[in-house]
Amino acid sequence: PAATAPPGAASPPAHPPTPFVAMRVAAAAAALGVVLACWAPGAAAGDPGQCANPVAELQAARQALIDEVLHPLNAHPMLVRLAWHDSGTYDKAVPASEWPKAGGANGSIRFARELGHAANAGLSRAIELLAPIKERFAVSWADLIQLASATAIEDAGGPRIPMRYGRVDTATEEECPAEGNLPGAEPPFPNGEPDAATHLRNVFYRMGFQDRDIVALSGAHTLGRAFKDRSGAAPEASGGEGTEYTQPGAKPHGRDTEVAYNPGGRSWTPKWLVFDNSYFKRTPEEPSLLWLSSDRATHEDSSFKDAFDAFAASQDTFFEAYSAAHAKLSELGSKFEPPEGIVVD
């Protein structure tokens, strides 16, 4: 039986339950075969609400991402970058009991204070693309950001990421992390490290990763481009001529059909809308492709190079390592409600 609002009710209660509480109650009710009416953003009183089934909400949000953002706009690289920059502020030295002081995947990047960090230049557009979906579904910002990234990877041909959902959002800008926790691409590095390999280890070891994870995650640069007017890591700006792979009329998806994208910037790979192991197969001698100091470190450092070569030799090996590292990155610093998280098939 479905619960209904009392006669004459015209609006949700003044202090409705958070989507996380509602989702947990609804999930328990669903297990008993009960359908509940519940509050959700934009839901009228008496409406079963968008939070009646948390798995269905996440599935619907995922389909909306594909239909409204990924396929028409080819925004895969931007959404991956957004999720990484939300997660990548994590510091494992901060106890979980002090959440959200450790940073990580908690949705804080949606706030102007964090979007204003130099490393996040251009990511306000990603938040704008996600906002209409956030309005329609009972999904936290932290979940939506990570869902968008995992969906983008898979939709571009990459592996399915074993994700959990139910992340709790930070509430205010005051909970945003300090600037300077994300990895830099070129010297001078934030903490004065002498070289890119040392810098990468300092940043990723702080989050709990090892050398093989660092190289696997670097392989996500098979997607996307860098721009002079965003990260500053490439000589080409957005909207400009670009390179042979990023100029108007290029084929970044590797097919003969036209594809919508904003030209310009410089890519790491020729097919920069395809997730594969091509990042590991290119050479520094290719003038039209981007090779940052951090890229060269994964190619040349002796410990990094073992993984680099293994991923070049086998896409399956890369996908297995990447999937595990991405899943771990997506949960750094997250607080889940329910604690065990929500799994979506």
Side-chain angles (χ1 to χ4, degrees):
T4 58
S11 61
H15 299 286
T18 68
F20 312 107
V21 173
M23 286 166 70
R24 192 171 189 184
V25 171
L32 299 174
V34 177
V35 179
L36 295 179
C38 60
W39 177 86
D47 187 330
Q50 296 176 336
C51 57
N53 185 328
V55 172
E57 282 298 287
L58 288 159
Q59 289 173 329
R62 180 168 62 190
Q63 192 60 50
L65 286 163
I66 293 170
D67 295 341
E68 300 170 24
V69 180
L70 293 176
H71 286 182
L73 301 175
N74 291 295
H76 304 66
M78 182 188 299
L79 296 183
V80 173
R81 180 175 173 236
L82 177 70
W84 279 37
H85 284 212
D86 196 36
S87 300
T89 60
Y90 177 69
D91 186 348
K92 67 179 183 180
V94 179
S97 60
E98 297 183 19
W99 184 90
K101 291 183 179 179
N106 55 34
S108 63
I109 199 169
R110 73 192 190 276
F111 290 115
R113 176 179 295 183
E114 191 167 341
L115 282 173
H117 294 177
N120 294 331
L123 286 179
S124 59
R125 173 59 176 158
I127 294 295
E128 291 172 3
L129 293 177
L130 294 183
I133 297 175
K134 175 67 176 71
E135 286 295 313
R136 294 184 354 240
F137 301 102
V139 178
S140 69
W141 269 110
D143 269 356
L144 182 59
I145 289 167
Q146 298 303 324
L147 174 67
S149 176
T151 303
I153 293 292
E154 183 180 2
D155 190 65
R160 185 73 179 266
I161 312 297
M163 300 287 289
R164 288 194 301 152
Y165 297 98
R167 293 170 186 80
V168 177
D169 282 336
T170 51
T172 68
E173 287 197 337
E174 284 64 38
E175 294 175 315
C176 290
E179 188 168 5
N181 287 340
L182 295 170
E186 297 288 356
F189 297 111
N191 297 310
E193 294 95 338
D195 54 66
T198 302
H199 173 65
L200 287 174
R201 289 190 171 99
N202 284 349
V203 170
F204 284 93
Y205 285 8
R206 185 200 72 218
M207 292 188 272
F209 290 107
Q210 299 301 316
D211 285 3
R212 188 177 180 84
D213 304 317
I214 296 171
V215 180
L217 290 171
S218 297
H221 280 145
T222 186
L223 290 180
R225 300 164 287 171
F227 301 90
K228 181 179 181 180
D229 50 325
R230 297 180 188 175
S231 67
E236 297 85 6
S238 60
E241 283 298 314
T243 70
E244 62 181 294
Y245 303 120
T246 64
Q247 64 187 355
K251 300 294 188 293
H253 53 8
R255 300 188 297 272
D256 289 335
T257 55
E258 292 294 326
V259 60
Y261 67 91
N262 183 37
R266 180 170 294 221
S267 61
W268 283 265
T269 64
K271 296 185 292 184
W272 48 268
L273 286 177
V274 177
F275 194 95
D276 56 20
N277 68 335
S278 59
Y279 173 86
F280 303 104
K281 294 183 173 182
R282 66 214 179 101
T283 65
E285 289 72 37
E286 296 177 79
S288 295
L289 297 180
L290 191 61
W291 277 87
L292 303 173
S293 294
S294 52
D295 299 312
R296 294 178 186 277
T298 62
H299 183 248
E300 298 170 359
D301 178 88
S302 58
S303 177
F304 288 155
K305 186 170 174 56
D306 288 342
F308 192 102
D309 291 344
F311 299 154
S314 170
Q315 182 164 284
D316 288 344
T317 299
F318 166 52
F319 276 16
E320 181 179 3
Y322 178 82
S323 179
H326 183 125
K328 179 176 179 177
L329 180 66
S330 78
E331 296 185 6
L332 296 180
S334 296
K335 181 166 70 172
F336 288 91
E337 183 62 48
E340 67 274 14
I342 299 167
V343 176
V344 180
D345 293 331

